Amino acid sequence: MIVTLTMNPALDKTIELGAALAHGDVQRSRGSHIQAAGKGVNVSRAIAQAGVKTLAVLPGAGTDPLLRQLILDDVDHRSVHIDHLLRTNITITDPDGTTTKINEQGPVLNSAVLEELVRVVVEVSRTATWLVLAGSLPPGVEPGFYADLVATVRTALGDAAPKIAVDTSEAPLRALFADGVDTLPDLIKPNAEELAELTGQGTGPGFEDSPTATAAAAQALVDRGVGAVLATLGAGGAVLVTAEGAWTASHAPIVPRSTVGAGDSALAGYLLADVAGYAPAHCLSRAVAYGSAAAALPGSAIPTPNQLAPDAVTVAELSKTPRTTS
């Protein structure tokens, strides 16, 4: 089972425009979609659609529209009750795939809710293969929350602890590598901008254009003790660095419709391949197949396995001859 924790879930409303967004003008949409989302929820959705057992842990009242949507979508979840509605995020997509997002902050979680979320995560992780900590933190939650939770799960469960993946940004991402933090995740999934910010090397655009530079920056994090770095590079594909080696993968060109959820889908693809027992290069291939499929879908739609094009992914061990994998 793959457990996900989404601390700041959102009901995503996506509006598709027939022309480029024009600031200050009145425009008509050509369609809209509403979906229960948040990074961990998106990962669980992709995993559930692939027929693999998953559980999404999140705050929220049973009557919240987001939790009701999860029930309708048949995504197994466990919620910790809060008195406030979860946030709603607005995504606007242009015909060329350009995405504009307006994200609300989300409700404040009190100490009792935070303690219960930690307790539930430890409990359900006893039977998990992976635990995914994903997304932003709500207002008032300390940036070190994910770093502390990694240590708490490992301490509480010992050898029975699942592998842990973290997909976050800014202060919560930096806190994973802060001085005094001894327990690092098994996997992190930064995008190019996040990798540049975290390592102080290069720039987001520079990494998107250079798998070699991306791998060098990711290697520095592996050297510090993180198990693996899956760096997603937008249209540039992705790079995976582990103690075993480094690989780059790219997808044949697609017609982008929305980038929302593409990174989450890539992480889900990696995890699905890992739990199936595949080698790192194949896990990277599946990550890129899932991320590209998501970018070709409207709104925050998450791809199903039959929407992938695995043969369109080329994987190369860095400094070696590229090969195609499915």
Side-chain angles (χ1 to χ4, degrees), residues 129-214:
T129 304
W130 277 95
L131 167 63
V132 180
L133 312 178
S136 62
L137 295 173
V141 178
E142 292 297 324
F145 180 86
Y146 286 143
D148 292 342
L149 185 53
V150 171
T152 297
V153 171
R154 295 259 178 81
T155 300
L157 301 184
D159 292 341
K163 289 184 282 188
I164 302 176
V166 181
D167 182 8
T168 188
S169 60
E170 299 178 341
L173 178 59
R174 294 192 299 271
L176 294 171
F177 295 89
D179 292 340
V181 175
D182 298 321
T183 305
L184 292 174
D186 298 279
L187 174 70
I188 62 169
K189 194 218 68 61
N191 60 28
E193 292 287 349
E194 292 160 352
L195 182 63
E197 179 188 358
L198 180 60
T199 62
Q201 300 183 30
T203 64
F207 285 147
E208 289 180 355
D209 291 336
S210 175
T212 302
T214 301

Side-chain angles (χ1 to χ4, degrees), residues 14-18 28-33 93:
T14 301
I15 301 170
E16 292 188 80
L17 297 179
R28 295 187 182 276
S29 71
R30 66 180 184 185
S32 64
H33 319 271
T93 60

Side-chain angles (χ1 to χ4, degrees), residues 71-148:
I71 294 172
L72 292 174
D73 294 342
D74 200 25
V75 177
D76 287 341
H77 60 280
R78 182 162 170 182
S79 62
V80 171
H81 180 81
I82 61 174
D83 293 328
H84 303 286
L85 284 176
L86 296 168
R87 61 183 179 149
T88 297
N89 291 343
I90 305 296
T91 300
I92 301 171
T93 60
D94 291 1
D96 66 355
T98 300
T99 301
T100 302
K101 292 202 69 178
I102 304 171
N103 291 348
E104 293 184 347
Q105 283 194 333
V108 174
L109 305 183
N110 62 38
S111 59
V113 169
L114 295 177
E115 290 172 5
E116 181 64 7
L117 282 165
V118 170
R119 188 195 68 77
V120 169
V121 166
V122 171
E123 176 189 331
V124 299
S125 292
R126 295 180 186 278
T127 56
T129 304
W130 277 95
L131 167 63
V132 180
L133 312 178
S136 62
L137 295 173
V141 178
E142 292 297 324
F145 180 86
Y146 286 143
D148 292 342

